[in-house]
Amino acid sequence: MEAIEGVKGAKLKNSGNRTVIENEGLAMGYSQVGADGNTQVFYNVFPPGKKVHVSFFRIKFEVYKSTRSESYQGNNYTNPSIMDLISRVSTVSASIKRQKEHGYMPRDYSTEFYVMERSFLTKAEYKALNPNDKRWQFLEEKSKYTEEFWKDLDRFGIPPVIKSVASKIGNELKLAN
């Protein structure tokens, strides 16, 4: 399943109308068809209760929990394709240590990604452009959105604030200049 390729050692196990994601003998998440008819995938990036230590220069992290929730177009819950991705919400609970005297400071992070537009090149189109070029050369310098989708989130099915954040700060966001 493309949705969990990044999870080392993860195994899939079919269980009725859902696929369970297992790692180290623990149920790490699941994939199923939601009420809207699309595939929903939820999983922990590493086993619950396990603490991961990461260092980056002088900054140290202790990651306590990292989860992903994804939606895919269609009802292929046994093997959703990344090409059908609708949205991904990632949350991380961690502590950061920048200086010894301050110790670890707890932090929660959340990122949201929504696919607004899709376009693909066929293999023949790619070869015609010049197969020796790097992929980044095909990226456009700026977006060409014809609509300001962020002003009408309901129309595109994008929640204004994810539930975990809304429970802490509320649903009303105000534009800051």
Side-chain angles (χ1 to χ4, degrees):
M1 176 188 295
E2 290 178 77
I4 61 160
E5 284 180 350
V7 183
K8 294 179 183 175
K11 296 178 183 171
L12 303 175
K13 184 178 177 182
N14 287 332
S15 177
N17 60 352
R18 84 176 10 186
T19 297
V20 176
I21 303 164
E22 290 184 350
N23 193 358
E24 298 179 14
L26 297 171
M28 300 278 292
Y30 59 86
S31 175
Q32 67 182 16
V33 176
D36 61 357
N38 290 324
T39 298
Q40 301 170 337
V41 179
F42 173 83
Y43 61 93
N44 291 296
V45 176
F46 50 85
K50 185 176 182 180
K51 191 183 336 181
V52 176
H53 296 276
V54 180
S55 293
F56 184 72
F57 294 110
R58 291 185 177 181
I59 301 173
K60 294 184 180 184
F61 299 88
E62 282 186 351
V63 182
Y64 307 116
K65 184 177 184 180
S66 180
T67 61
R68 287 195 184 143
S69 179
E70 301 168 344
S71 293
Y72 294 86
Q73 197 170 24
N75 58 8
N76 183 9
Y77 71 93
T78 57
N79 191 17
S81 171
I82 198 72
M83 295 177 75
D84 294 327
L85 183 69
I86 297 171
S87 66
R88 172 183 282 165
V89 177
S90 300
T91 58
V92 176
S93 292
S95 290
I96 300 173
K97 181 178 178 182
R98 293 184 185 167
Q99 299 172 348
K100 286 184 181 180
E101 62 269 16
H102 297 301
Y104 283 94
M105 296 178 287
R107 295 284 185 261
D108 288 332
Y109 299 97
S110 180
T111 58
E112 298 181 50
F113 173 78
Y114 296 91
V115 176
M116 301 302 296
E117 189 176 309
R118 297 179 198 276
S119 63
F120 305 97
L121 288 174
T122 64
K123 201 173 199 177
E125 290 171 328
Y126 176 74
K127 285 183 178 180
L129 289 170
N130 188 353
N132 297 324
D133 289 339
K134 302 287 183 210
R135 288 182 186 176
W136 61 265
Q137 291 176 326
F138 298 114
L139 298 176
E140 297 176 19
E141 291 184 21
K142 64 178 187 172
S143 65
K144 293 184 179 178
Y145 288 116
T146 55
E147 295 182 44
E148 295 178 327
F149 65 87
W150 53 91
K151 292 183 178 178
D152 189 11
L153 297 176
D154 290 337
R155 183 171 153 216
F156 296 99
I158 301 173
V161 183
I162 62 172
K163 291 179 185 177
S164 60
V165 173
S167 67
K168 294 180 182 177
I169 65 169
N171 286 318
E172 193 69 31
L173 295 179
K174 295 179 182 165
L175 184 62
N177 292 334

